[in-house]
Amino acid sequence: MLLSAVFLALFAPSVWAQSSVTDAYVASESPIAKASMLANIGPSGGKSSGAFSGIVIASPSTENPDYLYTWTRDSALTFQTIIDQFTLGIDTTLRGEIDNYVGAQAIVQQIPNPSGDITTGGLGEPKFYVNETAFTGPWGRPQRDGPALRSTALITWANYLLSEGNTSYVTDTLWPIIENDLNYVSSNWNQSTYDLWEEIYSSSFFSTAVQHRALRQGTTLARAIGQTSLASSYGNQADFLLCFLQSYWNPTGYVTANTGGGRSGIDANSVLASIHTFDATAGCDAITFQPCSDVALLNLFTYVNAFRNTYEINSGISTDEAVLTGRYPEDVYMGGNPWYLTTLAVAEQLYDSLIVWNSQGSLDITNISLPFFKQFDSTVTAGTYTSSSPEFSTLTAAVKTFSDGFVALVAKYTPSSGGLAEQISRSNGAPVSAVDLTWSYASALTAFDARAGVIPGSWGAQGLSLNCAGGPVAQTVSVTFNVDAPTLEGQNVYLTGAVDALEDWSTDNAILLSSANYPTWSVTVNLPGSTDVQYKYIKKDGSGTVTWESDPNMEITTPVNGTFATNDTWR
């Protein structure tokens, strides 16, 4: 049974009904989400299945899929929610949970694992067993967002404790954990990583964004406790990260979520990055991709519209109304469905935007963000609209209704128990995949808080500027592909592969190699730095007949900068 009759009765084609169903859902789901999130934390959580103290399980599900592990990323996002609620005075009963998490992470950091130990890369290990032992099976590793997210959660806690005068606990207990993570981020941010969906090994927008935030916050904390040398080092690397962050923007209207993978690049990765690096003091800053920035709004517009015709369940919904969204349009995991947390993330980005617009008393529309606003008012033009203008009132009201629509859809497909799984069936709306997903509950709480106007603490995004000259960031590197490939008369050799620069596996647009040094064929291509790239050579004759070389795909990992060359043989 899906949403209870009282909620279903509220669903009607009116703004009032949509706002009412969202109000009712927030009121009923908030305590359920909080209790369910805490139930997944050891040792006393009712569904934590034997997890050690302070350990967050991803889900109690043990088959199809088995999520009874603790992920560094999911745990950090969960405790960022808990720490924010405590430090902002929303729930001051959570101190014991936070202390348990601190103790658990001090242990987890030291566990040798397939990614290494604490000095050789082990902090990039994505998940562990819930009894604080290493998971040694095959997995997408390393994942370099976890240390960044853990450090920002603990820095938020450290800043609160410093304000309370508890300096010794910060320097003696928290700082050693935080420093380990920040040193890892500082040394490894420009290395390839698996993305937050654990599928693509390249550079990832989400990872880069949260790494940048971590080093900015770390710089301030290090300076506050007298670690001036580290503060300088972290600040320098943060500058480089901010420059690299700009390279993900695709001028056609969205963030390319990963530098590899061969997909469109439209991905919830970018929306999640925006809400998890929200800093209201930065206003609508574009270089840190703040939620109300023109680039973030156009990206959101592109991302949401990519799902309007992807799922059967979105059929018939007007183009100016909310729809369920998923990870990315090409997704096939568990059938490729909408997710609760990605749909809620859209709402949260819009609620964050409303916080800033209302606070600063104005709303800026640029030519970049204009398509986003035109879905609400086709006559609106670029410009600045103050809070006293009718355009400001009309547009902010429309955005509020639009954002409430995403929560209302989540409400519609929430079971009467209030339990949130990982996914929603694309065809009938039933819960799919792992039950009681901790991240789903945390995402509900953060979206509800944003709707209520809750403003998390600043992490230092205000007033930043780009200083990219002389840094180690190379958006592309020059790669020369050489292949020994004898051919028949009339045949030529071409190159194609899994990134845009290699034409995304297209045979029609594949890149022609030169035969000047036959039988070696060569071509030089600019590729994203620090990226895992799969590719193949093909032969085409005058009639257009294509011959692929045999499997498996060729694969290289490009350096951070400089040049690179292959010496391949046709197979």
Side-chain angles (χ1 to χ4, degrees):
M1 177 182 178
L2 292 178
L3 195 65
S4 63
V6 64
F7 286 137
L8 290 175
L10 288 170
F11 276 96
S14 72
V15 171
W16 180 86
Q18 186 157 271
S19 178
S20 296
V21 74
T22 305
D23 289 341
Y25 181 67
V26 170
S28 66
E29 184 64 20
S30 290
I32 295 172
K34 173 74 73 62
S36 299
M37 179 181 70
L38 296 176
N40 285 352
I41 303 174
S44 55
K47 295 183 179 180
S48 59
S49 303
F52 279 21
S53 178
I55 292 294
V56 181
I57 67 168
S59 161
S61 176
T62 56
E63 58 181 1
N64 196 32
D66 181 4
Y67 280 8
L68 190 57
Y69 299 92
T70 184
W71 270 263
T72 302
R73 172 182 47 255
D74 298 35
S75 300
L77 290 170
T78 298
F79 267 91
Q80 184 72 62
T81 303
I82 290 172
I83 290 168
D84 282 344
Q85 291 218 338
F86 184 95
T87 57
L88 296 172
I90 298 170
D91 187 346
T92 56
T93 70
L94 299 170
R95 176 65 183 263
E97 298 285 358
I98 299 170
D99 289 341
N100 289 343
Y101 174 70
V102 172
Q105 296 314 299
I107 294 170
V108 168
Q109 277 192 339
Q110 302 293 332
I111 300 171
N113 58 69
S115 294
D117 60 27
I118 195 166
T119 63
T120 60
L123 293 178
E125 184 68 9
K127 72 175 187 178
F128 298 83
Y129 288 115
V130 300
N131 64 353
E132 296 175 348
T133 58
F135 170 75
T136 58
W139 206 253
R141 53 171 68 90
Q143 295 177 30
R144 305 189 197 275
D145 56 352
L149 292 164
R150 178 168 54 201
S151 68
T152 57
L154 293 181
I155 292 170
T156 303
W157 184 229
N159 289 339
Y160 171 80
L161 293 177
L162 288 177
S163 73
E164 296 290 306
N166 197 348
T167 303
S168 61
Y169 182 82
V170 172
T171 57
D172 297 344
T173 302
L174 292 181
W175 179 249
I177 305 170
I178 294 167
E179 183 183 6
N180 288 335
D181 281 339
L182 293 177
N183 288 345
Y184 178 87
V185 172
S186 183
S187 299
N188 293 280
W189 66 263
N190 56 0
Q191 302 299 311
S192 294
T193 177
Y194 275 92
D195 68 332
L196 78 171
W197 309 130
E198 308 182 308
E199 295 171 342
I200 294 178
Y201 187 65
S202 64
S203 294
S204 172
F205 180 76
F206 178 85
S207 298
T208 301
V210 299
Q211 288 167 338
H212 173 247
R213 172 181 171 170
L215 290 181
R216 291 291 179 198
Q217 280 188 280
T219 298
T220 303
L221 177 61
R223 189 176 295 119
I225 61 174
Q227 298 284 343
T228 54
S229 177
L230 284 174
S232 177
S233 174
Y234 297 156
N236 288 338
Q237 294 303 311
D239 287 342
F240 298 146
L241 265 160
L242 186 58
C243 292
F244 185 48
L245 190 67
Q246 312 312 306
S247 69
Y248 292 92
W249 179 248
N250 184 324
T252 61
Y254 62 92
V255 166
T256 302
N258 301 293
T259 58
R263 300 196 300 248
S264 65
I266 299 170
D267 196 307
N269 167 323
S270 56
V271 180
L272 291 163
S274 186
I275 64 173
H276 290 300
T277 57
F278 174 45
D279 185 339
T281 68
C284 298
D285 177 59
I287 65 172
T288 57
F289 208 71
Q290 290 302 302
C292 61
S293 64
D294 54 1
V295 287
L297 292 174
L298 181 57
N299 176 77
L300 188 76
F301 176 76
T302 303
Y303 165 74
V304 170
N305 286 342
F307 292 95
R308 292 196 177 278
N309 298 313
T310 299
Y311 307 134
E312 301 91 315
I313 203 166
N314 285 337
S315 177
I317 297 178
S318 172
T319 56
D320 62 350
E321 294 181 1
V323 291
L324 293 169
T325 68
R327 301 192 301 172
Y328 49 89
E330 304 91 341
D331 195 6
V332 296
Y333 175 59
M334 291 287 174
N337 299 293
W339 284 42
Y340 288 99
L341 71 90
T342 59
T343 305
L344 287 165
V346 175
E348 185 170 343
Q349 182 182 331
L350 295 171
Y351 293 140
D352 288 344
S353 299
L354 288 164
I355 287 172
V356 173
W357 291 329
N358 288 321
S359 175
Q360 66 187 19
S362 64
L363 181 156
D364 290 316
I365 301 177
T366 70
N367 288 329
I368 292 174
S369 60
L370 189 59
F372 169 81
F373 289 102
K374 275 188 170 292
Q375 66 187 320
F376 310 118
D377 180 354
S378 62
T379 66
V380 73
T381 59
T384 298
Y385 299 94
T386 65
S387 56
S388 61
S389 67
E391 291 89 351
F392 181 93
S393 299
T394 299
L395 289 171
T396 54
V399 170
K400 175 63 160 52
T401 300
F402 188 52
S403 50
D404 277 352
F406 292 94
V407 179
L409 282 172
V410 168
K412 183 177 181 180
Y413 297 110
T414 296
S416 57
S417 66
L420 298 180
E422 181 179 68
Q423 303 175 37
I424 302 165
S425 169
R426 63 187 295 155
S427 58
N428 61 25
V432 177
S433 190
V435 300
D436 291 312
L437 191 77
T438 311
W439 194 357
S440 292
Y441 292 124
S443 69
L445 293 172
T446 56
F448 298 165
D449 284 346
R451 186 175 190 262
V454 173
I455 302 175
S458 171
W459 55 265
Q462 183 180 19
L464 295 177
S465 60
L466 295 174
N467 181 20
C468 303
V473 176
Q475 295 185 15
T476 60
V477 295
S478 177
V479 179
T480 299
F481 291 86
N482 301 297
V483 59
D484 186 340
T487 55
L488 301 176
E489 185 176 355
Q491 281 185 323
N492 287 300
V493 177
Y494 295 77
L495 172 68
T496 188
V499 294
D500 290 346
L502 298 184
E503 303 298 339
D504 292 320
W505 296 116
S506 170
T507 56
D508 292 338
N509 299 320
I511 300 166
L512 176 65
L513 279 71
S514 168
S515 61
N517 295 311
Y518 183 87
T520 297
W521 297 71
S522 302
V523 69
T524 299
V525 182
N526 288 329
L527 295 180
S530 187
T531 301
D532 184 66
V533 177
Q534 294 189 11
Y535 64 96
K536 273 188 175 180
Y537 301 101
I538 61 175
K539 295 177 180 177
K540 290 199 289 186
D541 62 21
S543 67
T545 301
V546 175
T547 303
W548 287 83
E549 65 175 335
S550 61
D551 289 332
N553 296 335
M554 299 282 198
E555 188 169 352
I556 58 171
T557 299
T558 59
V560 175
N561 49 34
T563 61
F564 189 82
T566 75
N567 291 288
D568 300 322
T569 301
W570 174 271
R571 299 171 310 187

